[in-house]
Amino acid sequence: MSLSSTAIEPLSFRKALGHYASGITVITSHIDDQPLGFTCQSFYSVSMNPPLVSFSVMSSSASYPGIRQAGRFAVNILSDEQAGISNQFARQGTDKWRGVQWQASPLGNPIIAGSLHWLDCEIHAEHAAGDHLIVIGEVKALNLQEATATQPLLYFKGQYCNLAG
Ligand SMILES: Cc1cc2nc3c(=O)[nH]c(=O)nc-3n(C[C@H](O)[C@H](O)[C@H](O)COP(=O)(O)O)c2cc1C
């Protein structure tokens, strides 16, 4: 017996993908004295040698053109105490950095205080894919200190959750 397939409705597409649990990141960069960032679920590792990672960004992103111009970005992996940060960086056209403490990474990208971990990357390649761009970064530095936060922020079926459930 085969599993039946139907036309792919956007809602069912979203719902199906919601079953894939992931962590949450904020991709940040800095250009013209302006920190940039957006909440990003579509982060994954690509290659060990060289060390490559990737994320997908909507073509309509307001922050990505500046990130591209800077040619570098940091991946802030959020901790379970940063659901507010995730929401704040998901709102286009708002002051995303209001009340957010950060420090510059070795490449000059903002590292958000309280993040679980971070990676510092240079843009290695960019590929158009439907209504998104697939961005590949080469990792140039990463967090070598043990973070005070220990638990990840997780996203599953459209909701934040944590490892405890
Ligand atoms: C949990 C969560 C995950 C998200 N993942 C992505 C993603 O992988 N790629 C993306 O382009 N937008 C993603 N978004 C949406 C962006 O964060 C949102 O569109 C943001 O406003 C974009 O900001 P910008 O237009 O200032 O760049 C996500 C939002 C949330 C809440």
Side-chain angles (χ1 to χ4, degrees), residues 52-104:
L52 301 177
V53 296
S54 179
F55 65 85
S56 301
V57 61
M58 280 185 298
S59 311
S60 60
S61 162
S63 52
Y64 186 67
I67 298 173
R68 175 198 282 137
Q69 208 184 328
R72 53 180 168 75
F73 62 87
V75 182
N76 292 257
I77 302 174
L78 298 190
S79 77
D80 67 344
E81 291 175 0
Q82 292 179 306
I85 292 282
S86 176
N87 288 332
Q88 189 159 329
F89 281 85
R91 292 191 198 108
Q92 194 178 55
T94 59
D95 180 7
K96 294 177 174 180
W97 293 90
R98 193 179 176 155
V100 175
Q101 292 190 327
W102 59 272
Q103 286 187 315

Side-chain angles (χ1 to χ4, degrees), residues 116-138:
L116 187 64
H117 212 89
W118 55 265
L119 302 101
D120 217 9
C121 308
E122 282 178 359
I123 295 181
H124 173 84
E126 188 186 296
H127 305 283
D131 54 11
H132 278 60
L133 297 165
I134 298 171
V135 181
I136 298 179
E138 179 163 357

Side-chain angles (χ1 to χ4, degrees), residues 9-23:
E9 297 285 337
L11 198 62
S12 21
F13 184 55
R14 264 174 190 257
K15 209 170 159 187
L17 291 173
H19 289 77
Y20 187 65
S22 75

